[in-house]
């Protein structure tokens, strides 16, 4: 059976919001023939009335008949015995994947999922690659490069926890490190789901991965070992901007985002909420008064600001600090405050590499330990490397100042002590299994392969810190008291606004634009008018074959229109959206220079008299008696794709 885009899909999901989001994902993949059911009973009725359904995508936990009962019911009937079935669930444990396979599901996809993850699951399902057939991890065949060295493929995501890998990559590219036994290939993935899949199914040699997730994979027979810590500390819990409510009341009945069910973030936030006397749990658990939802780390700020039911999230840096700096959140606590020097992400390597290429494993571990020392001594340089490594396309809008703050925070991420300690993993396992009902017990000493780390850390010398787990109840009540009794703005609040700005003028006022959004500056050129657009849109220009809309900033700000002169110019901006970069031109009177503006110079704007609508202003930069109005491009053009009628692709080739 092939996965034609016109085939009828039955989507079974009790949450209307989640169902809407998943339909949007399906639509983006070209699937528009979709039936919707709210639970298993509803799905069975629809199947009886629609015999041409080609695929069922079902949630696991639903009121009435859930996904597991639904697939069992289908497999008990001859008509549906071979109907392709994908289980979509926020639960990520291997034992649940096994249970789904035994019940008859062809595939399991962990929510939330990206379009490419869903398409892959659909393709595998229609190709007959069943979940039952993939329960045992396939053998990873090490690859050789043309030089005869091992091609070492290492997966990671866009968080500071994985910066040691980025520093190793940078030092190799600049010739400061010269591996003899391997060539490094890093694979940046969208979320933990594809990292988990790649590691489990032998698509990569190693991965920077959540420690509890690596423990779960090991428990179910994936041939891997933890060979090094990626870091210690380094995560942050934030809450939605403060309100008049007490913190406890603010969380009660609300949704709190975590990056994965099997994560330190889940464990530490669970400790904090239970310390406050709350009962946190996944949405399917009865009696919960703080509801966990799994969200890809890079999308947490977007979800927090866009969902009224959200109260906060816990995540690896720099995502939390960036949300604070952008004015979306307030700091709740740093992970190192509750559990000092705790592990979080680890380096897990496939056994095929450890057995066949131990010299490459030792060399990589040695370089990662070296990179960890480099980060601790050179946070400024490391932050610069991190911006390129963690945000190569600029879609996160990550800034060096934010990364440097995270690296320099005394309670922030630590990379100079990467030796795993068995006791820490025992603490993780005990809390997950006994308090949260997650995971399976393993022999921690069998999971850890410390021969490489012990040798590398001994050669590098340096510090060794034991972890200290504080009493969660005492910590939670003291932290809440401190937060509720102070009205001091976080030191992180201006970091997102620090950086280099392109200074320009309109009339007699000076403005600044973040240079990271500026692609180039061009002189005035012919602008082709476009009908049915607002007056501020002057039209489009053809810049080296690209059609780019142009907005007169004077008119957008309600200033009088003036004739263009020989110093008038067009600033071409790159405005990042979720899935692409959109080019846009703005007409300004003059461009002056690029200026480095520090966080300490920046203040919030007053509510009047600045010559630009307040919602467009990121802040005011003071320098002596001069004031620069710093513009927020994201607010200035929140929907740049809507500037031109019927415009679908601003980067299309010019006619």
């Amino acid at each position: 059976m092939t996965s034609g885009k016109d085939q009828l899909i039955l989507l079974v999901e009790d949450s209307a919001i989640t169902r809407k989001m998943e339909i949007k994902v399906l639509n983006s993949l070209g699937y528009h023939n979709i039936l919707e059911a709210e639970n298993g009973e509803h799905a069975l009725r629809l199947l009886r009335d629609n015999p041409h359904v080609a695929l069922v995508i079902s949630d696991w936990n639903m009121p009435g008949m859930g996904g597991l009962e639904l697939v069992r019911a289908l497999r008990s009937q001859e008509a549906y015995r071979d109907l392709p079935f994908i289980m979509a669930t926020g639960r990520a444990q291997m034992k649940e994947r096994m249970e789904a396979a035994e019940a008859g599901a062809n595939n399991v996809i962990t929510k939330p999922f990206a379009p490419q993850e869903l398409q892959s699951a659909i393709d595998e399902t229609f190709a007959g690659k069943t979940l039952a057939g993939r329960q045992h991890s396939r053998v990873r065949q090490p690859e050789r490069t043309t030089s005869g060295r091992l091609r070492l493929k290492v997966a990671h995501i866009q968080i500071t926890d994985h910066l040691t890998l980025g520093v190793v990559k940078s030092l190799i590219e600049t010739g400061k490190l010269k591996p003899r036994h391997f060539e490094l290939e890093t694979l940046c993935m969208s979320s933990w789901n594809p990292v988990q899949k790649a590691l489990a199914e032998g698509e990569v040699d190693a991965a920077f991965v959540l420690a509890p997730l690596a423990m779960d994979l090991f428990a179910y027979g994936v041939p891997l070992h933890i060979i090094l810590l990626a870091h210690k500390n380094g995560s942050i819990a934030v809450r939605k901007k403060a309100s008049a409510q007490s913190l406890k009341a603010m969380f009660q009945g609300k949704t709190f985002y975590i990056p994965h069910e099997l994560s330190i973030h889940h464990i530490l936030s669970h400790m904090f909420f239970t310390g406050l006397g709350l009962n946190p749990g996944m949405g399917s658990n009865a009696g919960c008064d703080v509801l966990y939802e799994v969200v890809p780390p890079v999308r947490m700020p977007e979800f927090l600001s866009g969902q009224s039911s959200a109260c906060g999230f816990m995540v690896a840096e720099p995502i939390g600090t960036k949300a604070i700096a952008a004015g979306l959140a307030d700091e709740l606590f740093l992970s190192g405050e509750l559990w000092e020097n705790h592990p979080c992400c680890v380096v897990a390597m496939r056994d095929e590499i450890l057995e066949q290429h131990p010299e490459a494993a030792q060399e990589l571990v040695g370089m990662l330990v070296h990179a960890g020392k480099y980060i601790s001594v050179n946070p400024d340089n490391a932050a610069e490397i991190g911006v390129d490594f963690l945000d190569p396309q600029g879609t996160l809008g990550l800034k060096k100042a934010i990364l440097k703050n995270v690296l320099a925070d005394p309670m922030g991420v630590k990379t100079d002590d990467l030796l795993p300690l068995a006791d820490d993993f025992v603490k993780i396992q005990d809390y997950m299994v006994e308090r949260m009902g997650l995971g399976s017990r393993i022999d921690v000493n069998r999971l850890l392969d410390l021969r490489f780390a012990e040798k590398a850390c001994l050669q590098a010398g340096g510090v060794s810190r034991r972890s200290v787990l504080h009493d969660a109840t005492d910590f939670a009540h003291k932290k809440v008291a401190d937060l509720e009794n102070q009205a001091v703005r976080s030191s992180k609040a201006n970091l997102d606004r620090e950086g280099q700005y392109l200074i320009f003028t309109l009339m007699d006022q000076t403005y600044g634009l973040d240079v990271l959004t500026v692609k180039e500056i061009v002189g005035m050129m012919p602008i082709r008018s476009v009908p049915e657009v607002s007056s501020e849109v002057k039209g489009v220009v053809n810049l080296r074959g690209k059609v780019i809309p142009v907005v007169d900033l004077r008119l957008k700000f309600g200033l009088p229109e003036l004739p263009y002169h020989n110093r008038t110019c067009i600033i071409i901006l790159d405005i990042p959206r979720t899935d692409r970069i959109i080019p846009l031109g703005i007409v300004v009177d003059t461009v002056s220079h690029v200026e480095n503006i520090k966080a300490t110079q920046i203040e919030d704007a007053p509510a009047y008299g600045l010559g630009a609508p307040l919602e467009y202003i990121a802040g005011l930069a003071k320098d002596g008696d001069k004031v620069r109005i710093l513009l927020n491009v994201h607010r200035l053009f929140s929907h740049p794709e809507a500037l031109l009628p019927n415009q679908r692709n601003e980067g299309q080739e010019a006619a």
Side-chain angles (χ1 to χ4, degrees), residues 289-305:
D289 50 17
V290 180
L291 305 178
Y292 283 117
E293 187 173 327
V294 177
V295 171
V298 296
R299 298 196 66 188
M300 285 185 178
E302 170 195 345
F303 275 59
L304 182 65
S305 62

Side-chain angles (χ1 to χ4, degrees), residues 515-530:
V515 296
L516 295 178
T517 65
V518 177
K519 184 176 178 63
E520 62 181 301
I521 304 164
V522 298
M524 288 305 299
M525 57 192 302
I527 301 176
R528 185 182 301 173
S529 61
V530 177

Side-chain angles (χ1 to χ4, degrees), residues 117-330:
E117 294 173 53
L118 180 58
Q119 185 63 66
S120 176
I122 292 173
D123 291 343
E124 289 174 354
T125 299
F126 280 110
K129 297 179 181 179
T130 65
L131 187 64
R134 291 187 285 120
Q135 283 185 29
H136 298 291
S137 177
R138 72 179 179 86
V139 174
R140 167 74 178 161
Q141 296 297 334
E143 301 174 22
R144 293 277 189 179
T145 67
T146 54
S147 67
R149 292 182 290 174
L150 173 70
R151 186 190 308 280
L152 198 55
K153 293 185 176 180
V154 185
H156 71 98
I157 66 171
Q158 294 170 285
I159 54 177
T160 312
D161 298 359
H162 301 174
L163 184 53
T164 51
L165 181 63
V167 170
V168 167
K169 182 180 181 181
S170 175
L171 295 178
I172 290 174
E173 289 174 347
T174 56
K176 295 174 183 175
L177 289 178
K178 298 179 181 179
R180 295 184 297 116
H181 300 292
F182 68 87
E183 291 184 18
L184 181 63
E185 181 179 337
T186 62
L187 293 87
C188 182
M189 298 187 170
S190 59
S191 69
W192 290 117
N193 295 343
V195 174
Q196 178 182 16
K197 180 175 182 291
L199 191 56
E201 298 185 8
E203 297 169 5
V204 295
D205 301 301
F208 279 56
V209 65
L210 295 162
L213 181 51
M215 295 165 74
D216 191 57
L217 293 174
F218 180 81
Y220 280 86
V222 176
L224 61 78
H225 282 80
I226 292 174
I227 60 173
L228 192 70
L229 297 182
H231 63 104
K232 290 184 176 180
N233 295 353
S235 293
I236 186 172
V238 304
R239 66 194 194 279
K240 196 171 262 188
K241 289 296 290 183
S243 68
Q245 290 179 299
S246 70
L247 281 179
K248 185 175 179 178
M250 181 180 182
F251 298 126
Q252 206 151 18
K254 296 291 188 178
T255 300
F256 190 84
Y257 299 129
I258 54 174
H260 199 278
E261 185 184 33
L262 300 173
S263 66
I264 291 291
H265 315 89
H266 194 184
I267 293 170
L268 292 180
S269 60
H270 190 279
M271 289 179 178
F272 180 80
F273 289 131
T274 53
L276 281 182
L278 296 168
N279 181 27
M282 301 301 287
S284 58
N285 295 352
C288 294
D289 50 17
V290 180
L291 305 178
Y292 283 117
E293 187 173 327
V294 177
V295 171
V298 296
R299 298 196 66 188
M300 285 185 178
E302 170 195 345
F303 275 59
L304 182 65
S305 62
Q307 299 294 329
S308 60
S309 61
C311 62
F313 60 78
M314 188 165 190
V315 71
E317 289 285 33
I319 295 162
T321 290
K322 190 175 187 310
I324 295 169
L328 302 176
D330 288 325

Side-chain angles (χ1 to χ4, degrees), residues 306 344 465:
C344 180
R465 304 182 187 92

Side-chain angles (χ1 to χ4, degrees), residues 159-161 163 233-236 316-322 334 375 379 383 398-414 492 495:
I159 54 177
T160 312
D161 298 359
L163 184 53
N233 295 353
S235 293
I236 186 172
E317 289 285 33
I319 295 162
T321 290
K322 190 175 187 310
L334 299 179
I375 292 169
L398 191 57
K399 289 190 174 184
K400 178 180 173 182
I402 288 176
L403 266 183
K404 184 178 178 182
N405 175 271
V406 169
L407 298 176
D409 192 315
M411 295 302 294
V413 64
K414 300 300 178 192
K492 301 177 184 291
L495 292 171

Side-chain angles (χ1 to χ4, degrees), residues 440-479:
S440 304
R441 284 204 170 274
I442 60 171
D443 183 343
V444 167
N445 290 303
R446 289 184 57 239
L447 169 65
L448 301 177
D449 185 344
L450 301 182
R451 52 188 163 142
F452 308 108
E454 286 176 345
K455 181 178 179 180
C457 292
L458 180 63
Q459 291 175 343
V463 296
S464 178
R465 304 182 187 92
R466 288 278 173 181
S467 70
V468 179
L469 179 57
H470 297 287
D471 181 88
T473 300
D474 290 345
F475 173 78
H477 285 283
K478 183 178 186 303
K479 175 57 68 171

